[in-house]
Amino acid sequence: MLKVAAAEAVQLGYKSEHQKRVDHQAKFRQPSAAAPDQPSLSSMWAADKVRSMELKTVQMKCLLFLLWEGRPMLAYLALHELLSSLPMQPNSLPTMHWSYAAGWVMSMALEQVYKEDLRSWFKSAFAMATSLDEVTAGGAFMGITVYRINKRWQREAHHLALAQLTEAPNAKYLTKTLIDTIVAITGLSLEEVRAKLVNISCDGASVLQGKKSGVVTQVQMEYAAFVIAIHCWAHRCNLVACVMSDVPEIQEVEHLLSSVFNFFTHSPLRQEELAEMQAACNEQVLRLLRDIKTRWISHYGPAMRLWQQYVPVCLLFEEAASRKGEHRITARNNLRNLMDISQLLTLLTILPIMRILKRLVLVCQKADIFVLELVQAVEQVGKDFQSMRSFQPIDFPELGVLRKAATAALEGSEEGKFQFRTAEGREEEPCLAVCGPTQQPIFFTVSSVDMQLVTLARFNSAMDSAKAVAVDTLIRLDAELKSRYPSSRILGSTALIYSKYYVGWDLDPKHAQFAKDMEVRRAAV
């Protein structure tokens, strides 16, 4: 019996130890009911990652807001105190607006996302066109803009790059730079570029559009055989305007514009004196403009500004000519040219001519333009050139102001010479006097500037000479316009052939209906 009891005790004991081991293992297999709220390591890491992303998101929103407002990044510190006080979870925002590592990481991430979107954008293009130009300011660069034409025949522009030129800008190097840049940024293969690229637009430089070895020719020979080259329309108009510089009388006016600008631009004191004189003459305080050759119709802005500020500029030159100093002779020469009736009349006759060319340039610079609108603009310029040869007062408003005031003054003065009275009633010596845009006479004594007096006969003779110069200029411009632009029939025919290209555009009702009608006819054929 004792043996049986001992055996049973051992067996129970053995079962008890075995049961303990089983219960201990089950404890690790199943979650403990005693501490259900204790997080695991993975859940803590996930929660910290979410909280960090929330903080970075708020920080990023603040930075983008500051950039949108044009405020400096350091302004984030001022926003931090406000955002931390808001009842938001979590509210422990980063105290600094930026870190070197975070800035580079964010910029690289944004660039990668942008490139991926851009590549998908170009891959979905039905066709592509590009425009390029050399930029020499601050180094040698080539600006490349690519236009995507989608399946709805809508054109969308994207400035692709400002590629730096590290070698001599010959046609071969520019061609390689153009194709490599398009492939690298758009993500298209050479085969896709060959299939999609249909047009290259640039100026008429021989390195770009040379028939033997220009960039366009090399692209046609090596990459895309069916690329069509287009000479920039605005550049053509500017080349038309350059014909004016061949006229000797207009060359004198251009020299006058440059000389007057240089007199003031090199001296802050003279600029301040000009501003005071403008205020004294009740004119708007404006700076004179420089004739920059790289701008379209570059003479128009400086010439118009000089005429608008003619009275204070002349008065200041008259005052500077009476002073002692090294610039006295320069001031007297500038005043003599400004008061020369022939140069003044030439200036006022070319202003409306340049204004017409400026309007054509603005039409050519439109991002989206219907071809018939361009046809009408070119035809209108030709008609204006023809009508201006008759010298109607409505075509030359600035010249009419001077002619009306000067003729009345000459016919009413003794011996047919200019002679006015100042506001104080003090009579000046007989002198050459003209009227500014406000039709207020200005006075210059013979003693201050040695000039020939203007009689009515001399004024009329100068007017006839200015008319002859204007007519000759208009004839030259009309001939150059016809040589630079295709005929209206050729331009208008593209509206018939490619009418579908314009159907989706936001055109005026007349042109929109024409495009739809032509598309119906084209589809029927």
Side-chain angles (χ1 to χ4, degrees), residues 72-337:
M73 287 293 187
L74 293 177
Y76 174 80
L77 298 178
L79 290 177
H80 179 268
E81 182 177 357
L82 172 64
L83 294 173
S84 301
S85 64
L86 297 178
M88 54 184 297
Q89 294 293 335
N91 58 3
S92 56
L93 292 171
T95 56
M96 292 300 296
H97 69 285
W98 206 259
S99 64
Y100 295 109
W104 283 112
V105 170
M106 190 199 74
S107 62
M108 293 171 63
L110 290 176
E111 182 184 16
Q112 187 63 30
V113 173
Y114 174 74
K115 284 185 176 180
E116 292 177 358
D117 292 344
L118 188 63
R119 289 175 177 178
S120 62
W121 188 72
F122 277 110
K123 284 185 176 293
S124 63
F126 174 72
M128 291 193 317
T130 181
S131 63
L132 52 96
D133 192 13
E134 289 187 73
V135 181
T136 57
F141 300 90
M142 181 169 66
I144 304 174
T145 302
V146 176
Y147 304 88
R148 184 190 78 152
I149 303 173
N150 58 28
K151 295 182 179 180
R152 297 179 56 191
W153 290 81
Q154 293 176 332
R155 190 186 68 168
E156 300 167 305
H158 176 78
H159 179 67
L160 200 63
L162 188 64
Q164 186 173 7
L165 305 178
T166 58
E167 301 179 13
N170 52 51
K172 184 177 181 179
Y173 175 66
L174 293 180
T175 303
K176 185 178 184 302
T177 302
L178 171 64
I179 299 300
D180 291 348
T181 303
I182 293 177
V183 171
I185 297 181
T186 63
L188 301 175
S189 63
L190 282 176
E191 290 73 16
E192 290 175 317
V193 173
R194 183 178 293 108
K196 295 177 182 291
L197 188 61
V198 296
N199 165 255
I200 296 179
S201 176
C202 51
D203 58 33
S206 59
V207 70
L208 297 176
Q209 297 214 35
K211 294 183 179 181
K212 294 184 178 180
S213 60
V215 171
V216 176
T217 302
Q218 295 198 24
V219 170
Q220 293 171 339
M221 295 175 60
E222 300 180 15
Y223 299 99
F226 299 102
V227 162
I228 299 174
I230 293 182
H231 188 179
C232 171
W233 297 102
H235 189 261
R236 295 188 188 201
C237 183
N238 194 66
L239 292 176
V240 173
C242 290
V243 176
M244 302 175 66
S245 298
D246 297 335
V247 181
E249 291 81 0
I250 298 180
Q251 291 178 359
E252 294 179 359
V253 173
E254 294 174 359
H255 177 73
L256 173 62
L257 295 175
S258 177
S259 179
V260 172
F261 175 82
N262 292 334
F263 183 84
F264 291 100
T265 190
H266 297 304
S267 174
L269 177 60
R270 294 180 202 149
Q271 296 178 14
E272 184 178 352
E273 291 177 346
L274 177 60
E276 294 175 355
M277 187 66 72
Q278 290 170 340
C281 296
N282 296 323
E283 298 285 353
Q284 188 177 0
V285 178
L286 297 172
R287 288 189 176 184
L288 299 179
L289 300 179
R290 183 181 180 183
D291 181 9
I292 302 178
K293 301 299 182 181
T294 55
R295 292 179 179 174
W296 305 128
I297 321 297
S298 59
H299 303 322
Y300 177 71
M304 193 65 197
R305 180 61 57 84
L306 178 60
W307 170 242
Q308 292 172 346
Q309 303 297 329
Y310 188 83
V311 174
V313 168
C314 289
L315 289 174
L316 190 57
F317 273 127
E318 196 272 343
E319 182 179 336
S322 60
R323 300 173 184 170
K324 294 182 180 180
E326 56 180 339
H327 300 292
R328 178 182 180 183
I329 297 178
T330 304
R332 294 186 64 180
N333 291 335
N334 285 332
L335 182 58
R336 181 179 290 106
N337 292 329

Side-chain angles (χ1 to χ4, degrees), residues 8 59 70 72 78 223 238 253 256 275 277 359 381 402 404 424:
E8 290 181 355
Q59 183 189 31
Y223 299 99
N238 194 66
V253 173
L256 173 62
M277 187 66 72
R359 287 200 297 263
V381 171
L402 175 63
K404 180 180 178 181
E424 295 81 5

